[in-house]
């Protein structure tokens, strides 16, 4: 339990359960500030990197809204509490426009100058300048090996994914510069508040902007068509981007196989089949 945050006494704190390797808490400080905390003494780096990603995304003028980081360090991440509201079409459109501005702010390279984490899985943020090769070698193959070694994918499954990797130059579409992406933008990482949407839990890095949009499509998001339409008003997408959604979804699907086992195997293989791997 926390006793203070950034020198301010904690007035109250309630446990909200757990997720991955951390416990979750809601509380209030003596000055009335509401807060949300993740506590994981054994995963301090992952929480510190999450804070770094929030700061990096939040640097963009009129970019995606992120919660204020109140404190981080020693296996603890404390954020401002965001009261939630029902998602609206107007809020989704505004998020689409803000996401486009964040992507257009760009990055120095694919990857990042900090170690990467996706939940408790390490991400290889080694810098690269050619997205298809970078995506294959630093996002897909590491998780493919991990899933194989854990027994969650069979040899034939690995071969199926490798067929996609062998065609990645053909599948990747037109070259784009590195975008400033959230990196794990599924619907559960969007909080809908009265003042609009706020994004949380980033695996932020320089990546391909279609990866964030593909993640939004993976499990669905409220008013997604309106969000995408508003996005394209600011940053039009390259022709055929919908055909590439499955390619970008291979990374989160492989991550889910690594985190949760064979329950995501069929969805992974279905995505590969859609990309021409049989």
């Amino acid at each position: 339990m926390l006793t203070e945050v950034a020198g301010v006494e904690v007035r109250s704190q309630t446990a909200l359960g757990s997720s991955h390797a951390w416990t979750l808490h809601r509380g209030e400080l003596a000055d009335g500030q509401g807060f949300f905390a993740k506590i994981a003494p054994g995963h301090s780096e992952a929480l510190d990197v999450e804070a770094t990603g929030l700061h990096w995304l939040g640097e963009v003028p009129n970019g995606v809204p992120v919660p204020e980081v109140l404190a981080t360090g020693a296996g603890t991440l404390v954020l401002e509490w965001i009261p939630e509201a029902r998602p609206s079409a107007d809020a989704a459109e505004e998020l689409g426009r803000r996401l486009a501005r964040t992507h257009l702010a760009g990055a120095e390279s694919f990857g990042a100058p900090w170690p990467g984490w996706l939940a408790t899985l390490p991400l290889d943020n080694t810098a690269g300048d050619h997205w298809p090769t970078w995506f294959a070698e630093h996002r897909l193959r590491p998780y493919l090996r991990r899933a194989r070694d854990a027994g969650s994918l069979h040899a034939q499954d690995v071969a199926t994914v490798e067929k996609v990797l062998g065609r990645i130059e053909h599948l990747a579409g037109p070259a784009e510069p590195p975008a400033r992406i959230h990196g794990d933008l599924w619907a559960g990482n969007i909080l809908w508040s009265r003042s609009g949407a706020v994004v949380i839990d980033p695996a932020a890095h320089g990546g391909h902007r279609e990866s964030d949009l593909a993640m939004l499509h993976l499990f669905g998001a409220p008013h997604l068509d309106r969000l995408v339409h508003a996005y394209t008003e600011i940053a039009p997408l390259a022709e055929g981007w919908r055909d590439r959604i499955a390619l970008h979804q291979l990374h989160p699907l492989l991550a889910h196989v690594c985190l949760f086992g064979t329950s995501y195997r069929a969805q992974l293989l279905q995505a590969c089949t859609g990309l021409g791997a049989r």
Side-chain angles (χ1 to χ4, degrees):
M1 300 290 283
L2 300 175
T3 58
E4 65 173 43
V5 173
V8 181
E9 181 184 357
V10 173
R11 176 184 294 162
S12 63
Q13 184 173 328
T14 303
L16 299 177
S18 61
S19 176
H20 301 294
W22 28 82
T23 57
L24 310 177
H25 308 263
R26 176 183 181 178
E28 184 178 295
L29 302 179
D31 61 6
Q33 169 75 61
F35 70 84
F36 170 80
K38 290 182 178 181
I39 301 177
H43 292 270
S44 184
E45 183 179 72
L47 298 185
D48 291 346
V49 166
E50 182 177 334
T52 297
L54 288 170
H55 286 304
W56 189 59
L57 294 173
E59 290 173 357
V60 181
N62 294 315
V64 289
V66 298
E68 180 185 358
V69 177
L70 302 178
T72 186
T76 301
L77 174 64
V78 186
L79 309 174
E80 66 170 316
W81 179 261
I82 305 293
E84 293 191 69
R86 291 179 62 86
S88 69
D90 287 346
E93 289 181 354
E94 181 63 13
L95 177 59
R97 288 186 284 268
R98 286 176 171 264
L99 181 63
R101 296 187 192 104
T102 298
H103 286 171
L104 292 175
E108 292 184 2
S109 66
F110 297 109
W114 51 78
W117 290 91
L118 183 64
T120 55
L121 296 174
L123 280 173
D124 183 355
N125 273 344
T126 299
D129 58 9
H130 182 63
W131 184 79
T133 301
W134 181 87
F135 187 62
E137 298 303 324
H138 300 293
R139 285 297 179 265
L140 300 184
R141 282 205 167 94
Y143 284 3
L144 184 60
R145 290 191 294 267
R146 181 184 285 262
R148 177 203 63 196
D149 294 346
S152 298
L153 292 178
H154 308 308
Q156 184 57 48
D157 303 334
V158 174
T160 297
V161 178
E162 286 286 358
K163 288 180 182 178
V164 175
L165 295 180
R167 301 180 62 239
I168 197 164
E169 293 284 350
H170 170 72
L171 295 169
E176 294 208 2
R180 186 173 303 215
I181 73 170
H182 178 282
D184 191 18
L185 195 58
W186 71 289
N189 284 342
I190 302 173
L191 299 181
W192 302 90
S193 73
R194 292 179 182 175
S195 58
V198 177
V199 301
I200 59 171
D201 294 350
H205 63 278
H208 197 303
R209 61 199 182 106
E210 290 176 9
S211 293
D212 273 351
L213 297 173
M215 192 66 179
L216 285 169
H217 282 80
L218 185 56
F219 301 116
H223 308 291
L224 184 53
D225 287 345
R226 299 279 290 272
L227 187 160
V228 172
H229 180 74
Y231 179 100
T232 59
E233 292 176 350
I234 303 294
L237 292 159
E239 184 178 354
W241 72 271
R242 290 187 182 276
D243 297 331
R244 296 186 289 274
I245 286 176
L247 175 64
H248 290 270
Q249 288 177 346
L250 292 184
H251 176 236
L253 288 171
L254 276 167
H256 277 70
V257 172
C258 291
L259 288 167
F260 305 114
T262 57
S263 57
Y264 284 91
R265 172 180 171 271
Q267 195 171 357
L268 171 68
L269 297 178
Q270 183 180 12
C272 291
T273 298
L275 293 165
R278 290 178 173 83

